[in-house]
């Protein structure tokens, strides 16, 4: 037997208290001559032995009570004794189920090793102990049901998310706060992936704080992975995804290992079917990335799964990446002409119309882009909802009613492109579209004048439109309207060679807005007759069309929030993982907002495609989640860092075949405070009864 609070054994010195009291209050006899005493002398002599025995018995009971109370607060434990009431502990087990835990270990994965370690921890807990089992993203309530605990361990899912282990530790600590057990234990089962630890110093400090009142165990599973090739970026080109037309897909493949990879095939699949021959990267050096250009053909209008895949390796979650792309067979564009001129070539929209449909008159019937031209004075008769995009070309004023309709149209997913010109009145745009509706992220100022030196346009560093810089440089710009940035988020897509903005992009609701600072005709530049103009216009339109489906592609862990018809509000939807036929469908319900309904789903924990079947909607809705790029790194905590953690917490390495002996080895046995407390209460009751009985008149 041993004691958890040995200092409390000093309480045994209190045994002297009842003895001293007994000695101070023992019966004293004083001889008093009294004739009648001789008649009771015989009776006293007969009872004296019994009274001494009663006093000694009460003294013994009181000494035992004091001794047991001292032992009680010293918390005695006994080795090998189980099933004793009061010997339970409260435990919280956090199983890291981030993407890196899917790395292969032998015939299984790191997560499977983590589950084995967690089951071993539970097996070593005393019967009746309460256990809170959770993954890194969702805490569970504590339970003393061992079968339920084991089931929860098996149900911790593999995700493709990046985990915040500090937050997971906080949740586990809160779960322990409500437990009444005298001994509390917290287990963090993880692979030690460096990305999960974020600020190591913050994690170390928090673990040290938790270890003050809780016994903390860090269980490290698995071994370092030898290499990893992953898809670090998949970006559809900023072009129109027309049906049966080649559509470019840009892919970055990164080697996260320490050895070069040779002959890396990159495959493209559309709706699960291979598309053409793989792109082969001849050599991919350690720590470097290479780009691949693939071309997908969408067979029909509507949503399609476009997947890029590598050959499987030891870190499988980043070997595939999927995006949802909506193919279109007809794109309608409304061109609002603010300066029609006297003949077709003088029209402000002449070059725009031909750039949007750069085919002969005979082919325009089958070409997917259908531009329509309308004068600013006829806007009241146009139903904007019929069009994918609205282009304002040198339109002088924005009518009040049209501004309201335009804001509603863009917020619902439409696109707006503005080309200024000599007719544009800045105060009209600034008052209605910038100040009132916040549709424009900038406000217009006066033109910077004509006759200045010719400038050229250059892409920004990221070149989001993917335009050829040499082709852009051939165009000369003599004049542009001035702009001032507002408070709304926006992005500079193109700039002039003097640094001033040329093309600004922003989002408004579900729609997209582009503001070009020069004209769409030849009044201020010669851009419209340069080869770069056609791809420029088409990529603006492609960005608008693709933006309508941008909410269908999310990061794992982020909620899907997609707008659908208002009639579907309140309907139920069932969501399945397309790549996992055994996955159970999850139910959600569409919420209603003004003029539409919203499908919300916050269980996108794995990368790949999902399918939502909505009651009352004939076709299923496809969406996709991309895995966390941060998880592709192979870096683990270093030996020095693990040693530092070991100064405040218990560190255990767990691999296949490890023993569970380390779990619970710190416990000294089963606590005996509960039976001791019962004995103390029983003896106290006996002492009270005997004291009353012995003090009765005799």
């Amino acid at each position: 037997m041993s004691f958890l609070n040995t200092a409390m054994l000093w309480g045994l010195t209190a045994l002297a208290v009842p003895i001293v009291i007994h000695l101070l209050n023992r019966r004293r006899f004083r001889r008093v001559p009294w004739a009648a005493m001789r008649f009771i002398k015989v009776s006293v002599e007969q009872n004296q032995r019994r009274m001494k025995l009663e006093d000694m018995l009460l003294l013994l009971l009181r000494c035992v009570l004091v001794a047991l109370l001292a032992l009680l607060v010293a918390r005695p434990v006994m080795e090998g004794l189980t099933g004793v009431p009061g010997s339970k502990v409260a435990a919280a087990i956090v199983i890291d189920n981030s993407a890196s835990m899917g790395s292969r270990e032998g015939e299984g994965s790191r997560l499977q090793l983590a589950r084995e370690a967690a089951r071993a921890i539970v097996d070593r807990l005393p019967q009746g102990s309460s256990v809170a089992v959770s993954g890194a993203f969702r805490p569970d309530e504590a339970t003393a049901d061992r079968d339920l605990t084991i089931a929860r361990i098996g149900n911790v899912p593999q995700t493709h998310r990046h985990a915040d282990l500090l937050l997971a530790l906080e949740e586990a600590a809160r779960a322990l706060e409500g437990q009444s057990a005298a001994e509390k234990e917290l287990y963090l089962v993880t692979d030690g992936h460096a990305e999960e630890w974020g600020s190591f110093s913050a994690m170390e400090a928090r673990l040290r704080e938790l270890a003050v009142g809780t016994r903390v165990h860090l269980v490290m599973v698995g071994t370092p992975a030898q290499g990893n090739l992953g898809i670090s970026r998949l970006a559809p080109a900023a072009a129109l995804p027309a049906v049966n037309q080649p559509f470019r897909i840009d892919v970055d493949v990164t080697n996260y290992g320490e050895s070069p990879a040779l002959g890396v095939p990159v495959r493209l699949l559309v709706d699960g079917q291979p598309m053409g021959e793989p792109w082969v990267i001849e050599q991919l050096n350690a720590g470097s990335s290479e780009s691949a250009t693939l071309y997908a053909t969408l067979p029909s209008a509507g949503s399609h799964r476009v997947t890029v895949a590598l050959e499987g390796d030891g870190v499988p979650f980043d070997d595939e990446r999927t995006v949802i792309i909506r193919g279109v067979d007809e794109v309608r564009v409304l061109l609002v002409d603010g300066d029609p001129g006297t003949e077709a070539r003088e029209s402000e929209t002449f070059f725009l119309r031909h750039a949007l449909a750069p085919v002969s008159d005979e082919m325009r019937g089958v070409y997917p882009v259908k531009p329509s031209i309308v004068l600013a004075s006829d806007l009241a008769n146009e139903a904007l909802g019929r069009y994918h995009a609205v282009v304002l070309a040198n339109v002088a004023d924005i009518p009040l009613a049209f501004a309201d309709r335009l804001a509603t149209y863009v917020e619902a997913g439409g696109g707006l492109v503005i080309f200024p010109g000599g007719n544009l009145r800045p105060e009209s745009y600034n008052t209605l579209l910038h100040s009132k509706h916040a549709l424009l992220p900038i406000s217009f100022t006066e033109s910077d004048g004509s006759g200045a030196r010719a400038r050229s346009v250059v892409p920004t560093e990221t070149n989001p439109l993917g335009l050829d810089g040499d082709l852009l440089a051939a165009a000369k710009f003599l004049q542009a309207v001035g702009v001032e940035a507002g408070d709304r988020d926006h992005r500079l897509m193109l700039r002039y060679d003097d640094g001033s903005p040329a093309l600004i992009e922003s989002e408004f609701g579900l729609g997209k807005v582009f503001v070009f600072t020069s004209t769409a005709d030849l009044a201020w530049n010669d851009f419209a007759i340069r080869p770069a103009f056609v791809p420029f216009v088409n990529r603006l339109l492609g960005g608008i069309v693709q933006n309508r489906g941008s909410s269908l592609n999310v990061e794992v862990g982020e909620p899907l929030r997609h707008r659908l018809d208002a009639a579907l509000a309140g309907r139920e939807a069932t969501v399945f993982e397309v790549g996992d036929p055994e996955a159970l469908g999850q139910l959600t319900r569409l919420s209603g907002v003004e003029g539409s309904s919203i499908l919300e789903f916050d269980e996108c924990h794995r990368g790949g495609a999902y399918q939502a079947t909505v009651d009352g909607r004939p076709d299923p809705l496809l969406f996709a989640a991309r895995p966390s790029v941060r998880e592709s790194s192979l870096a683990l905590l270093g030996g020095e860092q693990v040693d530092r953690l070991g100064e405040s917490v218990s560190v255990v390495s767990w691999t296949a075949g490890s023993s569970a002996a380390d779990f619970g080895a710190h416990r000294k046995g089963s606590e005996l405070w509960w039976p001791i407390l019962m004995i103390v209460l029983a003896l106290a009751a006996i002492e009270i009864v005997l004291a009353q009985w012995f003090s009765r008149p005799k």
Side-chain angles (χ1 to χ4, degrees):
M1 179 183 293
S2 57
F3 299 89
L4 298 181
N5 294 329
T6 54
M8 295 295 102
L9 291 176
W10 285 98
L12 291 174
T13 58
L15 283 171
V17 174
I19 297 174
V20 171
I21 294 174
H22 172 76
L23 294 176
L24 292 176
N25 292 278
R26 67 180 179 175
R27 296 182 179 88
R28 294 182 174 86
F29 297 95
R30 184 164 58 91
R31 294 184 180 274
V32 178
W34 184 30
M37 181 61 70
R38 68 178 183 271
F39 298 107
I40 64 173
K41 181 177 181 181
V42 175
S43 176
V44 171
E45 290 176 349
Q46 291 176 351
N47 293 330
Q48 189 174 19
R49 183 177 298 177
R50 178 175 58 81
M51 294 169 62
K52 287 182 178 180
L53 180 62
E54 290 173 353
D55 288 345
M56 292 303 297
L57 181 58
L58 289 176
L59 175 62
L60 178 62
L61 282 175
R62 290 160 183 165
C63 289
V64 171
L65 280 173
V66 172
L68 289 177
L69 286 173
L71 293 176
L72 183 64
V73 295
R75 295 175 62 189
V77 293
M78 181 171 290
E79 297 284 351
L81 186 63
T82 59
V84 178
S87 64
K88 300 175 292 186
V89 301
I93 304 175
V94 179
I95 300 177
D96 180 3
N97 58 336
S98 60
S100 65
M101 293 291 286
S103 300
R104 292 197 178 96
E105 288 287 335
E107 298 298 322
S109 66
R110 291 176 182 173
L111 181 60
Q112 289 175 322
L113 282 179
R115 294 192 187 110
E116 291 176 8
R119 284 190 282 266
I121 293 168
V122 174
D123 288 341
R124 295 281 293 176
L125 291 173
Q127 288 291 337
S129 296
S130 63
V131 187
V133 175
S134 64
F137 310 101
R138 178 183 297 167
D140 278 327
E141 294 182 356
T143 178
D145 187 333
R146 184 161 295 215
D147 292 337
L148 177 58
T149 299
I150 297 297
R152 284 178 173 176
I153 291 172
N155 291 333
V156 172
Q158 176 64 67
T159 74
H160 295 164
R161 295 178 59 178
H162 170 72
D164 184 347
L165 290 185
L166 183 58
L167 178 61
L169 282 174
E170 298 293 351
E171 294 285 352
R174 277 193 287 271
L176 286 176
E177 286 177 0
Q179 304 300 313
S180 59
E183 190 165 356
K184 298 180 180 180
E185 301 173 3
L186 191 156
Y187 296 84
L188 173 59
V189 189
T190 178
D191 59 354
H193 189 229
E195 288 291 334
E196 256 71 50
W197 286 73
S199 173
F200 176 79
S201 58
M203 281 287 290
E204 181 187 20
R206 186 55 182 144
L207 284 171
R208 188 181 298 110
E209 292 173 1
L210 291 174
V212 173
T214 302
R215 191 171 293 274
V216 181
H217 302 262
L218 177 61
V219 184
M220 309 286 288
V221 301
T223 56
Q226 298 303 310
N228 178 34
L229 297 179
I231 298 171
S232 51
R233 186 179 71 97
L234 191 162
L240 190 66
V243 172
N244 294 323
Q245 298 292 325
F247 182 76
R248 194 178 88 240
I249 306 292
D250 295 324
V251 182
D252 287 348
V253 180
T254 301
N255 183 354
Y256 296 95
E258 298 181 355
S259 302
L262 304 177
V264 180
V266 185
R267 296 181 295 116
L268 177 69
L269 302 92
V270 176
D271 296 329
Q273 300 301 314
M275 180 72 61
E277 295 296 322
W279 176 292
V280 178
I281 300 175
E282 298 298 334
Q283 180 170 331
L284 185 55
N285 294 324
S288 65
S289 299
E290 291 288 339
S291 297
T293 302
L294 306 172
Y295 288 89
T297 301
L298 305 181
S300 61
S303 298
H304 297 275
R305 293 178 286 123
V306 177
T307 303
V308 176
L310 305 174
E311 292 182 348
D313 58 20
V315 186
F317 82 94
D318 57 3
D319 294 337
E320 287 190 4
R321 183 173 288 202
T322 299
V323 295
I324 303 300
I325 300 178
R326 284 182 168 181
V328 291
D329 51 8
E330 184 175 281
V331 179
R332 295 176 298 277
V333 182
L334 179 64
L335 302 177
V336 184
D337 197 327
D339 186 11
T342 57
E343 59 181 53
R345 191 174 178 85
E346 295 178 353
S347 168
E348 193 75 29
T349 58
F350 175 80
F351 293 103
L352 281 174
R353 179 172 64 86
H354 286 83
L356 287 168
V359 294
S360 63
D361 292 341
E362 293 78 11
M363 294 295 296
R364 286 181 181 172
V366 296
Y367 194 74
V369 181
K370 311 293 184 185
S372 300
I373 301 175
V374 65
L375 298 179
S377 57
D378 297 330
L379 282 173
N381 300 322
E382 290 293 337
L384 300 183
R386 297 175 50 240
Y387 300 98
H388 290 81
V390 174
V391 180
L392 303 181
N394 198 13
V395 175
D397 296 294
I398 303 297
L400 178 60
F402 177 71
D404 297 340
R405 293 169 54 211
L406 186 63
T408 302
Y409 159 76
V410 176
E411 186 176 20
L416 172 64
V417 183
I418 296 178
F419 288 94
N423 293 340
L424 183 142
R425 296 180 61 247
E427 58 271 20
S428 176
Y429 286 78
N430 295 343
T431 300
L432 296 178
L433 299 186
H434 177 70
S435 299
K436 180 181 179 182
H437 292 291
L439 179 59
L440 297 184
I442 52 87
S443 58
F444 290 109
T445 61
E446 295 297 329
S447 169
D448 60 5
S450 59
R453 75 169 184 87
R455 294 178 293 181
S456 60
V457 166
V458 295
T460 56
E461 288 73 11
T462 57
N463 193 10
L465 293 180
L467 296 170
D468 188 296
D470 293 335
L471 292 180
L472 283 174
K476 303 302 178 185
F477 292 80
L478 297 176
Q479 190 171 343
V481 68
V483 295
E484 290 183 356
D487 296 332
R488 289 191 54 236
D489 291 338
H490 61 278
R491 180 166 61 154
L492 184 63
M493 307 282 282
L494 297 174
R495 59 180 175 82
Y496 297 109
D497 54 10
D498 63 1
S500 56
L503 178 67
I504 299 152
E505 175 210 43
S506 67
E507 295 182 356
F508 184 78
L510 297 177
K512 189 178 284 289
V513 176
F514 289 104
V515 177
F516 194 60
T517 60
S518 195
T519 59
D521 63 359
L522 301 178
W524 292 359
N525 59 70
D526 63 355
F527 190 28
I529 59 175
R530 297 294 181 179
F533 188 67
V534 171
F536 167 74
V537 171
N538 279 271
R539 289 181 186 180
L540 291 184
L541 181 59
I544 290 172
V545 173
Q546 288 190 49
N547 186 65
R548 289 194 168 194
S550 62
S551 61
L552 297 174
N553 296 290
V554 298
E555 180 93 10
V556 290
E558 293 181 356
L560 170 81
R561 197 170 188 273
H562 184 69
R563 192 184 295 259
L564 292 170
D565 294 338
L568 299 176
R571 304 287 182 88
E572 285 190 344
T574 307
V575 181
F576 299 88
E577 288 187 51
V578 174
D580 188 357
E582 297 182 358
L584 298 177
Q586 301 186 62
L587 291 177
T588 185
R589 188 178 296 275
L590 277 68
S591 58
V593 296
E594 184 178 356
S596 63
S597 61
I598 300 293
L599 171 63
E600 294 183 278
F601 184 71
D602 59 358
E603 298 292 328
C604 298
H605 299 306
R606 294 167 56 87
Y610 293 76
Q611 176 177 297
T613 303
V614 183
D615 292 345
R617 192 175 191 269
D619 300 321
L621 178 74
L622 291 174
F623 62 95
R626 56 187 179 273
S628 171
V629 177
R630 297 179 61 180
E631 291 294 301
S632 296
S633 168
L634 299 180
L636 303 178
L637 292 178
E640 182 180 348
Q641 292 174 309
V642 175
D643 291 341
R644 285 173 54 184
L645 293 173
E647 296 174 1
S648 55
V649 305
S650 171
V651 179
V652 178
S653 295
W654 182 274
T655 57
S658 292
S659 169
D662 290 329
F663 302 135
H666 61 280
R667 303 188 200 109
K668 297 183 178 180
S670 298
E671 289 194 52
L672 302 178
W673 68 268
W674 179 259
I676 292 177
L677 177 61
M678 294 296 99
I679 294 173
V680 167
L681 294 176
L683 290 179
I686 293 173
E687 192 276 341
I688 293 172
V689 172
L690 289 179
Q692 292 294 325
W693 176 261
F694 292 159
S695 63
R696 75 189 188 285
K698 299 180 176 61

